[in-house]
């Protein structure tokens, strides 16, 4: 018997299969019954292993969260003794503070729900700007994997070390990791968000981008406003080329095309969310994390 079985939902079946292959584990997909009233019921088969690795990347999460919680319950009732959630994109982590009166602290609502349903959680580049450790908000052992190595392996070789650009102060440690991985240098911009689709970026000092290959790195691209502004700033400063490496690409097809038509040479993303810019496969890194967390306790 394999130590793990990998499960998931049909709409992410390709990513489920990649993880199962990397783990050398069987696939046991959920079957989802949809009731006429709009409710749904994920049904688990008899578990082929005591530990079930449930893959569910949580982009566009509202429709997925309830089914995921039901799926965890279904697996436990079917006999699984341990459930590991692999959610390469972990939703609702960006609302990690009450920024304005009357708002919820979404991170502290969603993370404990997942912690109550799963024994361990693996994710990638969770937005933890104000969270020291995911385990403290989920109450479970967690792995928050870096996307730097998978993305770096997918980038073309630069002829000269690139200038790595982070769009906001919070990206500073990440940008430095990137710069050292690529033997380049790093700058971080200052971002003021004026609305969901409107940001202002400023450089704290001279950009020194004239004739340089620039790589803009970000954990999430959603409306693309941040990347668009950062790229424009670097092109105005004379960058010879601007590429983007983003862990989680959530941009619409139209936004992606617009970014590429306005001077960004290439966008590289991980396959945490299926997207035309996917260049880096996370499966081997996720599989390693599953093995490590699976061997604990
Ligand atoms: C913000 O803290 C994140 O790191 C991203 O910069 C942000 O989520 C990108 O959002 P958008 O694409 O909507 O500008």
């Amino acid at each position: 018997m394999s130590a793990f079985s990998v499960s998931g939902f049909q709409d992410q079946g390709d990513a489920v299969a990649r993880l199962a292959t990397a783990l050398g584990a069987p696939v046991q997909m959920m079957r989802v019954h949809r009731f006429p009233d709009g409710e749904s019921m994920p049904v688990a088969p008899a578990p082929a292993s005591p530990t079930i690795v449930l893959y569910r990347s949580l982009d566009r999460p509202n429709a997925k969260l309830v089914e995921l919680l039901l799926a965890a319950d279904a697996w436990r009732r079917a006999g699984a003794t341990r459930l590991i959630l692999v959610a390469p994109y972990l939703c609702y982590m960006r609302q990690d503070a009450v920024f304005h009166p009357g708002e919820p602290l979404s991170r502290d609502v969603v993370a404990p729900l997942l912690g109550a349903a799963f024994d361990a959680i693996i994710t990638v580049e969770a937005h933890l700007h104000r969270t020291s450790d995911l385990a403290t908000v989920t109450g479970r052992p967690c792995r928050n994997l870096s996307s730097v190595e998978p993305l770096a392996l997918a980038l073309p070789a630069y002829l000269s070390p690139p200038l790595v650009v982070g769009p906001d102060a919070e990206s500073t440690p990440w940008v430095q990791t990137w710069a050292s991985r690529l033997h380049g240098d790093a700058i971080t911009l200052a971002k003021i968000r004026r609305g969901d689709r409107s940001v202002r970026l400023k450089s704290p000092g001279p950009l020194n981008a004239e004739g340089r290959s620039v790589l803009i790195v970000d954990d999430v691209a959603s409306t693309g406003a941040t990347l668009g502004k950062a790229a424009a700033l670097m092109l105005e400063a004379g960058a010879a080329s601007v590429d983007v490496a983003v862990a989680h690409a959530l941009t619409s097809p139209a936004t992606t095309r617009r970014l590429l038509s306005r001077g960004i040479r290439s966008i590289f993303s991980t396959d945490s969310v299926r997207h035309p810019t996917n260049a880096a496969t996370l499966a081997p890194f996720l599989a390693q994390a599953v093995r490590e967390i699976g061997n604990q306790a």
Side-chain angles (χ1 to χ4, degrees):
M1 184 193 281
S2 166
F4 309 102
S5 295
V6 181
S7 185
F9 294 78
Q10 286 304 339
D11 63 316
Q12 294 176 348
D14 46 356
V16 174
R18 285 196 293 274
L19 176 58
T21 302
L23 261 179
V27 174
Q28 293 198 283
M29 296 301 274
M30 303 299 304
R31 178 172 64 78
V32 182
H33 177 76
R34 303 210 179 274
F35 292 102
D37 62 5
E39 292 185 357
S40 57
M41 182 174 66
V43 180
S49 319
T51 298
I52 299 298
V53 178
L54 191 46
Y55 181 100
R56 195 58 167 150
S57 205
L58 290 168
D59 55 302
R60 308 200 176 279
N62 292 0
K64 292 178 182 149
L65 277 170
V66 171
E67 276 184 10
L68 181 63
L69 299 176
L70 295 173
D73 187 71
W75 273 116
R76 289 202 197 277
R77 291 178 192 281
T81 55
R82 198 151 183 242
L83 294 181
I84 300 174
L85 172 64
V86 174
Y89 180 69
L90 195 56
C91 56
Y92 284 114
M93 294 298 115
R94 287 194 286 173
Q95 182 74 12
D96 57 358
V98 175
F99 297 101
H100 304 101
E103 293 177 353
L105 183 43
S106 308
R107 176 200 65 189
D108 287 11
V109 174
V110 173
L113 273 180
L114 297 174
F118 292 91
D119 300 294
I121 297 170
I122 295 168
T123 187
V124 178
E125 223 65 83
H127 190 91
L128 300 181
H129 292 176
R130 281 158 285 269
T131 311
S132 57
D133 182 359
L134 208 47
T136 60
V137 285
T138 61
R140 295 291 187 176
C142 291
R143 287 292 165 87
N144 180 29
L145 307 185
S146 168
S147 63
V148 172
E149 194 54 26
L151 282 167
L153 292 172
L155 293 178
Y158 283 101
L159 292 177
S160 54
L163 174 61
V164 180
V165 177
D168 48 34
E170 288 121 332
S171 65
T172 304
W174 201 52
V175 170
Q176 273 154 4
T177 306
W178 262 109
S180 105
R181 172 64 177 80
L182 299 179
H183 310 292
D185 41 3
I187 52 166
T188 50
L189 306 173
K191 175 156 93 177
I192 302 161
R193 187 168 279 285
R194 296 189 291 200
D196 285 343
R197 293 168 189 279
S198 170
V199 297
R200 256 189 78 207
L201 295 184
K202 283 197 307 196
S203 168
L207 285 170
N208 298 328
E210 185 73 43
R212 301 282 310 267
S213 302
V214 165
L215 179 69
I216 302 171
V217 296
D218 208 350
D219 55 352
V220 184
S222 173
T223 65
T226 303
L227 290 181
K229 285 282 165 59
L233 208 58
M234 301 318 293
L235 289 166
E236 273 161 32
S241 64
V242 174
D243 294 317
V244 166
V246 61
H248 309 295
L250 306 177
T251 49
S252 68
T255 299
T256 309
R257 281 195 299 275
R258 195 172 63 242
L259 290 171
L260 290 168
S261 72
R262 293 195 183 161
I264 293 178
R265 186 171 65 174
S266 302
I267 303 175
F268 302 87
S269 64
T270 77
D271 59 0
S272 67
V273 178
R274 193 190 292 130
H275 195 269
T277 61
N278 286 169
T281 178
L282 293 170
F285 299 87
L286 296 170
Q288 182 59 24
V290 168
R291 287 189 204 98
E292 286 165 7
I293 218 162
N295 286 333
Q296 283 173 5

